[in-house]
Amino acid sequence: LHCTFEIQIDENDFVTCSDYGTIGLDFNKGFIALSETNQYGHLMRTQILPYRFKSGNKTKTDFQRIANHVVRLSRQTGKDVCIENLNFETAKSKTETKQGKKYNGMIHSLAYRQFSDMIESVTYRNKVNLIKVNPAWTSWLAKQFYCPTMKLNIHIGASYVIARRGQGYKDTV
């Protein structure tokens, strides 16, 4: 037996707002980097959330735990959640069997879609606004502007750029 429920939520029903700041998530192999910003786009908190890579249901369980943690934090602070709008469909279709075996394995085993679906579901059920931002140049901008001056690693820096993009800030060269 499989039951499906469809829940309709009006835009005014969401309990979070990007005016207070945002929570940015950067998806990586084996962990998710989290950065929280305040209303001015300043870094407030960072965190590394590990998950078991290529472990089937254990990975799914870890994604559920991470999504619940992020939504709990978002509801406590009243801040929106920001993730990258990644799409590997074209990258997967262009991979060849003999060229770049390591890259092909990484692209096909990365469970971003599973995480994205999980975070979308949990945020929607808990009336937390989810913002998907363009992932282009997040790591590069972090490396150029934030990592050297703020002593951040590249992944935390990228999640910080994602959080700032969710607030509407544009980091340009």
Side-chain angles (χ1 to χ4, degrees), residues 105-133:
M106 186 272 301
I107 284 290
H108 287 279
S109 66
L110 201 59
Y112 176 76
R113 181 60 184 247
Q114 191 177 19
F115 173 71
S116 176
D117 291 345
M118 183 74 64
I119 197 89
E120 280 180 30
S121 173
V122 174
T123 54
Y124 192 76
R125 277 182 293 166
N126 288 283
K127 299 177 182 172
V128 172
N129 195 23
L130 180 68
I131 302 170
K132 289 190 171 188
V133 299

PDB file of all heavy atoms in Angstrom, residues 105-133:
ATOM      1  N   GLY A 105      32.930   8.148 -12.878  1.00  0.00           N
ATOM      2  CA  GLY A 105      32.457   7.495 -11.667  1.00  0.00           C
ATOM      3  C   GLY A 105      31.915   8.483 -10.653  1.00  0.00           C
ATOM      4  O   GLY A 105      30.896   8.239 -10.005  1.00  0.00           O
ATOM      5  N   MET A 106      32.590   9.623 -10.525  1.00  0.00           N
ATOM      6  CA  MET A 106      32.153  10.644  -9.579  1.00  0.00           C
ATOM      7  C   MET A 106      30.810  11.234 -10.005  1.00  0.00           C
ATOM      8  O   MET A 106      29.888  11.364  -9.193  1.00  0.00           O
ATOM      9  CB  MET A 106      33.205  11.755  -9.480  1.00  0.00           C
ATOM     10  CG  MET A 106      32.929  12.805  -8.420  1.00  0.00           C
ATOM     11  SD  MET A 106      31.910  14.203  -8.904  1.00  0.00           S
ATOM     12  CE  MET A 106      32.810  14.917 -10.222  1.00  0.00           C
ATOM     13  N   ILE A 107      30.666  11.558 -11.276  1.00  0.00           N
ATOM     14  CA  ILE A 107      29.424  12.166 -11.775  1.00  0.00           C
ATOM     15  C   ILE A 107      28.235  11.215 -11.593  1.00  0.00           C
ATOM     16  O   ILE A 107      27.155  11.629 -11.175  1.00  0.00           O
ATOM     17  CB  ILE A 107      29.573  12.555 -13.275  1.00  0.00           C
ATOM     18  CG1 ILE A 107      30.402  13.823 -13.413  1.00  0.00           C
ATOM     19  CG2 ILE A 107      28.233  12.752 -13.950  1.00  0.00           C
ATOM     20  CD1 ILE A 107      29.717  15.072 -12.918  1.00  0.00           C
ATOM     21  N   HIS A 108      28.431   9.952 -11.881  1.00  0.00           N
ATOM     22  CA  HIS A 108      27.322   9.001 -11.814  1.00  0.00           C
ATOM     23  C   HIS A 108      27.009   8.543 -10.395  1.00  0.00           C
ATOM     24  O   HIS A 108      25.914   8.069 -10.125  1.00  0.00           O
ATOM     25  CB  HIS A 108      27.599   7.803 -12.722  1.00  0.00           C
ATOM     26  CG  HIS A 108      27.464   8.148 -14.175  1.00  0.00           C
ATOM     27  ND1 HIS A 108      26.255   8.206 -14.801  1.00  0.00           N
ATOM     28  CD2 HIS A 108      28.387   8.482 -15.107  1.00  0.00           C
ATOM     29  CE1 HIS A 108      26.430   8.552 -16.073  1.00  0.00           C
ATOM     30  NE2 HIS A 108      27.713   8.735 -16.267  1.00  0.00           N
ATOM     31  N   SER A 109      27.955   8.663  -9.483  1.00  0.00           N
ATOM     32  CA  SER A 109      27.702   8.214  -8.115  1.00  0.00           C
ATOM     33  C   SER A 109      27.278   9.354  -7.195  1.00  0.00           C
ATOM     34  O   SER A 109      26.802   9.105  -6.093  1.00  0.00           O
ATOM     35  CB  SER A 109      28.953   7.543  -7.540  1.00  0.00           C
ATOM     36  OG  SER A 109      29.986   8.487  -7.408  1.00  0.00           O
ATOM     37  N   LEU A 110      27.435  10.597  -7.612  1.00  0.00           N
ATOM     38  CA  LEU A 110      27.064  11.733  -6.775  1.00  0.00           C
ATOM     39  C   LEU A 110      25.544  11.776  -6.613  1.00  0.00           C
ATOM     40  O   LEU A 110      24.811  11.777  -7.589  1.00  0.00           O
ATOM     41  CB  LEU A 110      27.574  13.020  -7.412  1.00  0.00           C
ATOM     42  CG  LEU A 110      27.739  14.221  -6.509  1.00  0.00           C
ATOM     43  CD1 LEU A 110      28.712  13.905  -5.383  1.00  0.00           C
ATOM     44  CD2 LEU A 110      28.264  15.402  -7.295  1.00  0.00           C
ATOM     45  N   ALA A 111      25.085  11.818  -5.391  1.00  0.00           N
ATOM     46  CA  ALA A 111      23.660  11.690  -5.094  1.00  0.00           C
ATOM     47  C   ALA A 111      23.009  13.058  -4.888  1.00  0.00           C
ATOM     48  O   ALA A 111      22.168  13.210  -4.006  1.00  0.00           O
ATOM     49  CB  ALA A 111      23.478  10.815  -3.860  1.00  0.00           C
ATOM     50  N   TYR A 112      23.378  14.047  -5.687  1.00  0.00           N
ATOM     51  CA  TYR A 112      22.830  15.388  -5.496  1.00  0.00           C
ATOM     52  C   TYR A 112      21.319  15.407  -5.690  1.00  0.00           C
ATOM     53  O   TYR A 112      20.600  16.059  -4.934  1.00  0.00           O
ATOM     54  CB  TYR A 112      23.476  16.400  -6.441  1.00  0.00           C
ATOM     55  CG  TYR A 112      22.830  17.760  -6.313  1.00  0.00           C
ATOM     56  CD1 TYR A 112      23.116  18.571  -5.227  1.00  0.00           C
ATOM     57  CD2 TYR A 112      21.884  18.196  -7.223  1.00  0.00           C
ATOM     58  CE1 TYR A 112      22.486  19.790  -5.069  1.00  0.00           C
ATOM     59  CE2 TYR A 112      21.253  19.416  -7.079  1.00  0.00           C
ATOM     60  CZ  TYR A 112      21.561  20.208  -5.995  1.00  0.00           C
ATOM     61  OH  TYR A 112      20.934  21.408  -5.841  1.00  0.00           O
ATOM     62  N   ARG A 113      20.840  14.707  -6.703  1.00  0.00           N
ATOM     63  CA  ARG A 113      19.397  14.708  -6.984  1.00  0.00           C
ATOM     64  C   ARG A 113      18.607  14.160  -5.791  1.00  0.00           C
ATOM     65  O   ARG A 113      17.561  14.686  -5.423  1.00  0.00           O
ATOM     66  CB  ARG A 113      19.121  13.900  -8.249  1.00  0.00           C
ATOM     67  CG  ARG A 113      17.676  13.840  -8.661  1.00  0.00           C
ATOM     68  CD  ARG A 113      17.162  15.251  -8.921  1.00  0.00           C
ATOM     69  NE  ARG A 113      15.773  15.236  -9.230  1.00  0.00           N
ATOM     70  CZ  ARG A 113      15.276  15.552 -10.407  1.00  0.00           C
ATOM     71  NH1 ARG A 113      16.068  15.911 -11.380  1.00  0.00           N
ATOM     72  NH2 ARG A 113      13.986  15.517 -10.613  1.00  0.00           N
ATOM     73  N   GLN A 114      19.128  13.103  -5.195  1.00  0.00           N
ATOM     74  CA  GLN A 114      18.486  12.510  -4.025  1.00  0.00           C
ATOM     75  C   GLN A 114      18.449  13.518  -2.868  1.00  0.00           C
ATOM     76  O   GLN A 114      17.423  13.679  -2.203  1.00  0.00           O
ATOM     77  CB  GLN A 114      19.252  11.256  -3.626  1.00  0.00           C
ATOM     78  CG  GLN A 114      18.575  10.398  -2.599  1.00  0.00           C
ATOM     79  CD  GLN A 114      19.376   9.138  -2.308  1.00  0.00           C
ATOM     80  OE1 GLN A 114      20.568   9.059  -2.591  1.00  0.00           O
ATOM     81  NE2 GLN A 114      18.721   8.160  -1.732  1.00  0.00           N
ATOM     82  N   PHE A 115      19.561  14.219  -2.653  1.00  0.00           N
ATOM     83  CA  PHE A 115      19.604  15.226  -1.594  1.00  0.00           C
ATOM     84  C   PHE A 115      18.664  16.390  -1.907  1.00  0.00           C
ATOM     85  O   PHE A 115      17.938  16.869  -1.038  1.00  0.00           O
ATOM     86  CB  PHE A 115      21.028  15.749  -1.404  1.00  0.00           C
ATOM     87  CG  PHE A 115      21.100  16.906  -0.457  1.00  0.00           C
ATOM     88  CD1 PHE A 115      20.888  16.730   0.901  1.00  0.00           C
ATOM     89  CD2 PHE A 115      21.353  18.183  -0.929  1.00  0.00           C
ATOM     90  CE1 PHE A 115      20.926  17.801   1.779  1.00  0.00           C
ATOM     91  CE2 PHE A 115      21.387  19.258  -0.055  1.00  0.00           C
ATOM     92  CZ  PHE A 115      21.171  19.064   1.302  1.00  0.00           C
ATOM     93  N   SER A 116      18.669  16.835  -3.150  1.00  0.00           N
ATOM     94  CA  SER A 116      17.827  17.954  -3.564  1.00  0.00           C
ATOM     95  C   SER A 116      16.347  17.627  -3.349  1.00  0.00           C
ATOM     96  O   SER A 116      15.588  18.452  -2.820  1.00  0.00           O
ATOM     97  CB  SER A 116      18.094  18.292  -5.034  1.00  0.00           C
ATOM     98  OG  SER A 116      17.234  19.298  -5.478  1.00  0.00           O
ATOM     99  N   ASP A 117      15.932  16.438  -3.755  1.00  0.00           N
ATOM    100  CA  ASP A 117      14.542  16.028  -3.556  1.00  0.00           C
ATOM    101  C   ASP A 117      14.188  15.963  -2.072  1.00  0.00           C
ATOM    102  O   ASP A 117      13.096  16.362  -1.656  1.00  0.00           O
ATOM    103  CB  ASP A 117      14.278  14.672  -4.209  1.00  0.00           C
ATOM    104  CG  ASP A 117      14.314  14.733  -5.730  1.00  0.00           C
ATOM    105  OD1 ASP A 117      14.257  15.859  -6.279  1.00  0.00           O
ATOM    106  OD2 ASP A 117      14.410  13.666  -6.361  1.00  0.00           O
ATOM    107  N   MET A 118      15.124  15.461  -1.274  1.00  0.00           N
ATOM    108  CA  MET A 118      14.894  15.324   0.171  1.00  0.00           C
ATOM    109  C   MET A 118      14.740  16.702   0.820  1.00  0.00           C
ATOM    110  O   MET A 118      13.811  16.927   1.597  1.00  0.00           O
ATOM    111  CB  MET A 118      16.063  14.570   0.809  1.00  0.00           C
ATOM    112  CG  MET A 118      15.911  14.313   2.277  1.00  0.00           C
ATOM    113  SD  MET A 118      14.716  13.030   2.660  1.00  0.00           S
ATOM    114  CE  MET A 118      15.514  11.629   1.900  1.00  0.00           C
ATOM    115  N   ILE A 119      15.641  17.631   0.513  1.00  0.00           N
ATOM    116  CA  ILE A 119      15.587  18.963   1.137  1.00  0.00           C
ATOM    117  C   ILE A 119      14.346  19.729   0.659  1.00  0.00           C
ATOM    118  O   ILE A 119      13.716  20.445   1.434  1.00  0.00           O
ATOM    119  CB  ILE A 119      16.897  19.760   0.917  1.00  0.00           C
ATOM    120  CG1 ILE A 119      16.990  20.938   1.902  1.00  0.00           C
ATOM    121  CG2 ILE A 119      17.031  20.290  -0.475  1.00  0.00           C
ATOM    122  CD1 ILE A 119      17.624  20.606   3.186  1.00  0.00           C
ATOM    123  N   GLU A 120      13.958  19.541  -0.608  1.00  0.00           N
ATOM    124  CA  GLU A 120      12.738  20.179  -1.111  1.00  0.00           C
ATOM    125  C   GLU A 120      11.519  19.688  -0.347  1.00  0.00           C
ATOM    126  O   GLU A 120      10.664  20.481   0.050  1.00  0.00           O
ATOM    127  CB  GLU A 120      12.554  19.881  -2.603  1.00  0.00           C
ATOM    128  CG  GLU A 120      13.374  20.736  -3.521  1.00  0.00           C
ATOM    129  CD  GLU A 120      13.142  20.385  -4.981  1.00  0.00           C
ATOM    130  OE1 GLU A 120      12.022  19.942  -5.333  1.00  0.00           O
ATOM    131  OE2 GLU A 120      14.074  20.555  -5.763  1.00  0.00           O
ATOM    132  N   SER A 121      11.441  18.396  -0.144  1.00  0.00           N
ATOM    133  CA  SER A 121      10.304  17.803   0.540  1.00  0.00           C
ATOM    134  C   SER A 121      10.224  18.273   1.995  1.00  0.00           C
ATOM    135  O   SER A 121       9.160  18.694   2.465  1.00  0.00           O
ATOM    136  CB  SER A 121      10.419  16.283   0.487  1.00  0.00           C
ATOM    137  OG  SER A 121       9.432  15.675   1.263  1.00  0.00           O
ATOM    138  N   VAL A 122      11.333  18.219   2.705  1.00  0.00           N
ATOM    139  CA  VAL A 122      11.334  18.579   4.126  1.00  0.00           C
ATOM    140  C   VAL A 122      11.071  20.073   4.311  1.00  0.00           C
ATOM    141  O   VAL A 122      10.318  20.464   5.207  1.00  0.00           O
ATOM    142  CB  VAL A 122      12.654  18.139   4.800  1.00  0.00           C
ATOM    143  CG1 VAL A 122      12.739  18.631   6.231  1.00  0.00           C
ATOM    144  CG2 VAL A 122      12.787  16.625   4.761  1.00  0.00           C
ATOM    145  N   THR A 123      11.672  20.916   3.476  1.00  0.00           N
ATOM    146  CA  THR A 123      11.423  22.352   3.613  1.00  0.00           C
ATOM    147  C   THR A 123       9.961  22.697   3.317  1.00  0.00           C
ATOM    148  O   THR A 123       9.357  23.505   4.017  1.00  0.00           O
ATOM    149  CB  THR A 123      12.346  23.188   2.702  1.00  0.00           C
ATOM    150  OG1 THR A 123      12.221  22.736   1.358  1.00  0.00           O
ATOM    151  CG2 THR A 123      13.790  23.112   3.159  1.00  0.00           C
ATOM    152  N   TYR A 124       9.402  22.090   2.298  1.00  0.00           N
ATOM    153  CA  TYR A 124       8.015  22.387   1.924  1.00  0.00           C
ATOM    154  C   TYR A 124       7.041  21.969   3.026  1.00  0.00           C
ATOM    155  O   TYR A 124       6.134  22.719   3.384  1.00  0.00           O
ATOM    156  CB  TYR A 124       7.669  21.687   0.610  1.00  0.00           C
ATOM    157  CG  TYR A 124       6.375  22.151   0.004  1.00  0.00           C
ATOM    158  CD1 TYR A 124       6.290  23.372  -0.656  1.00  0.00           C
ATOM    159  CD2 TYR A 124       5.232  21.377   0.097  1.00  0.00           C
ATOM    160  CE1 TYR A 124       5.095  23.797  -1.214  1.00  0.00           C
ATOM    161  CE2 TYR A 124       4.041  21.799  -0.460  1.00  0.00           C
ATOM    162  CZ  TYR A 124       3.977  23.007  -1.108  1.00  0.00           C
ATOM    163  OH  TYR A 124       2.797  23.436  -1.658  1.00  0.00           O
ATOM    164  N   ARG A 125       7.254  20.770   3.591  1.00  0.00           N
ATOM    165  CA  ARG A 125       6.376  20.278   4.660  1.00  0.00           C
ATOM    166  C   ARG A 125       6.456  21.143   5.912  1.00  0.00           C
ATOM    167  O   ARG A 125       5.483  21.275   6.647  1.00  0.00           O
ATOM    168  CB  ARG A 125       6.716  18.845   5.032  1.00  0.00           C
ATOM    169  CG  ARG A 125       6.074  17.824   4.132  1.00  0.00           C
ATOM    170  CD  ARG A 125       6.408  16.454   4.595  1.00  0.00           C
ATOM    171  NE  ARG A 125       7.855  16.296   4.381  1.00  0.00           N
ATOM    172  CZ  ARG A 125       8.584  15.346   4.888  1.00  0.00           C
ATOM    173  NH1 ARG A 125       8.066  14.459   5.666  1.00  0.00           N
ATOM    174  NH2 ARG A 125       9.869  15.265   4.634  1.00  0.00           N
ATOM    175  N   ASN A 126       7.627  21.736   6.164  1.00  0.00           N
ATOM    176  CA  ASN A 126       7.819  22.559   7.353  1.00  0.00           C
ATOM    177  C   ASN A 126       7.643  24.051   7.086  1.00  0.00           C
ATOM    178  O   ASN A 126       7.998  24.875   7.927  1.00  0.00           O
ATOM    179  CB  ASN A 126       9.204  22.294   7.952  1.00  0.00           C
ATOM    180  CG  ASN A 126       9.262  20.946   8.614  1.00  0.00           C
ATOM    181  OD1 ASN A 126       8.763  20.784   9.709  1.00  0.00           O
ATOM    182  ND2 ASN A 126       9.851  19.964   7.954  1.00  0.00           N
ATOM    183  N   LYS A 127       7.150  24.400   5.918  1.00  0.00           N
ATOM    184  CA  LYS A 127       6.861  25.787   5.529  1.00  0.00           C
ATOM    185  C   LYS A 127       8.101  26.676   5.582  1.00  0.00           C
ATOM    186  O   LYS A 127       8.054  27.809   6.028  1.00  0.00           O
ATOM    187  CB  LYS A 127       5.746  26.363   6.393  1.00  0.00           C
ATOM    188  CG  LYS A 127       4.446  25.594   6.250  1.00  0.00           C
ATOM    189  CD  LYS A 127       3.383  26.131   7.147  1.00  0.00           C
ATOM    190  CE  LYS A 127       2.128  25.302   6.999  1.00  0.00           C
ATOM    191  NZ  LYS A 127       1.113  25.640   7.965  1.00  0.00           N
ATOM    192  N   VAL A 128       9.222  26.107   5.133  1.00  0.00           N
ATOM    193  CA  VAL A 128      10.481  26.847   5.043  1.00  0.00           C
ATOM    194  C   VAL A 128      10.734  27.135   3.572  1.00  0.00           C
ATOM    195  O   VAL A 128      10.638  26.233   2.733  1.00  0.00           O
ATOM    196  CB  VAL A 128      11.649  26.021   5.639  1.00  0.00           C
ATOM    197  CG1 VAL A 128      12.976  26.680   5.372  1.00  0.00           C
ATOM    198  CG2 VAL A 128      11.443  25.840   7.131  1.00  0.00           C
ATOM    199  N   ASN A 129      11.053  28.369   3.260  1.00  0.00           N
ATOM    200  CA  ASN A 129      11.294  28.760   1.873  1.00  0.00           C
ATOM    201  C   ASN A 129      12.651  28.232   1.405  1.00  0.00           C
ATOM    202  O   ASN A 129      13.655  28.416   2.083  1.00  0.00           O
ATOM    203  CB  ASN A 129      11.236  30.282   1.745  1.00  0.00           C
ATOM    204  CG  ASN A 129      11.120  30.728   0.308  1.00  0.00           C
ATOM    205  OD1 ASN A 129      10.665  29.989  -0.548  1.00  0.00           O
ATOM    206  ND2 ASN A 129      11.526  31.946   0.051  1.00  0.00           N
ATOM    207  N   LEU A 130      12.679  27.582   0.237  1.00  0.00           N
ATOM    208  CA  LEU A 130      13.901  27.052  -0.357  1.00  0.00           C
ATOM    209  C   LEU A 130      14.229  27.864  -1.598  1.00  0.00           C
ATOM    210  O   LEU A 130      13.396  28.002  -2.494  1.00  0.00           O
ATOM    211  CB  LEU A 130      13.734  25.578  -0.715  1.00  0.00           C
ATOM    212  CG  LEU A 130      14.933  24.897  -1.351  1.00  0.00           C
ATOM    213  CD1 LEU A 130      16.070  24.768  -0.338  1.00  0.00           C
ATOM    214  CD2 LEU A 130      14.565  23.529  -1.889  1.00  0.00           C
ATOM    215  N   ILE A 131      15.444  28.403  -1.651  1.00  0.00           N
ATOM    216  CA  ILE A 131      15.886  29.205  -2.785  1.00  0.00           C
ATOM    217  C   ILE A 131      16.970  28.428  -3.512  1.00  0.00           C
ATOM    218  O   ILE A 131      17.952  28.006  -2.908  1.00  0.00           O
ATOM    219  CB  ILE A 131      16.445  30.569  -2.314  1.00  0.00           C
ATOM    220  CG1 ILE A 131      15.382  31.330  -1.529  1.00  0.00           C
ATOM    221  CG2 ILE A 131      16.952  31.377  -3.493  1.00  0.00           C
ATOM    222  CD1 ILE A 131      15.909  32.559  -0.819  1.00  0.00           C
ATOM    223  N   LYS A 132      16.785  28.247  -4.823  1.00  0.00           N
ATOM    224  CA  LYS A 132      17.811  27.586  -5.640  1.00  0.00           C
ATOM    225  C   LYS A 132      18.549  28.668  -6.413  1.00  0.00           C
ATOM    226  O   LYS A 132      17.924  29.478  -7.106  1.00  0.00           O
ATOM    227  CB  LYS A 132      17.183  26.575  -6.593  1.00  0.00           C
ATOM    228  CG  LYS A 132      16.648  25.359  -5.879  1.00  0.00           C
ATOM    229  CD  LYS A 132      16.254  24.292  -6.875  1.00  0.00           C
ATOM    230  CE  LYS A 132      15.925  23.009  -6.144  1.00  0.00           C
ATOM    231  NZ  LYS A 132      15.718  21.900  -7.071  1.00  0.00           N
ATOM    232  N   VAL A 133      19.876  28.671  -6.273  1.00  0.00           N
ATOM    233  CA  VAL A 133      20.680  29.708  -6.912  1.00  0.00           C
ATOM    234  C   VAL A 133      21.567  29.096  -7.999  1.00  0.00           C
ATOM    235  O   VAL A 133      21.813  27.894  -8.013  1.00  0.00           O
ATOM    236  CB  VAL A 133      21.562  30.459  -5.881  1.00  0.00           C
ATOM    237  CG1 VAL A 133      20.699  31.145  -4.842  1.00  0.00           C
ATOM    238  CG2 VAL A 133      22.558  29.553  -5.228  1.00  0.00           C
TER     239      VAL A 133
END
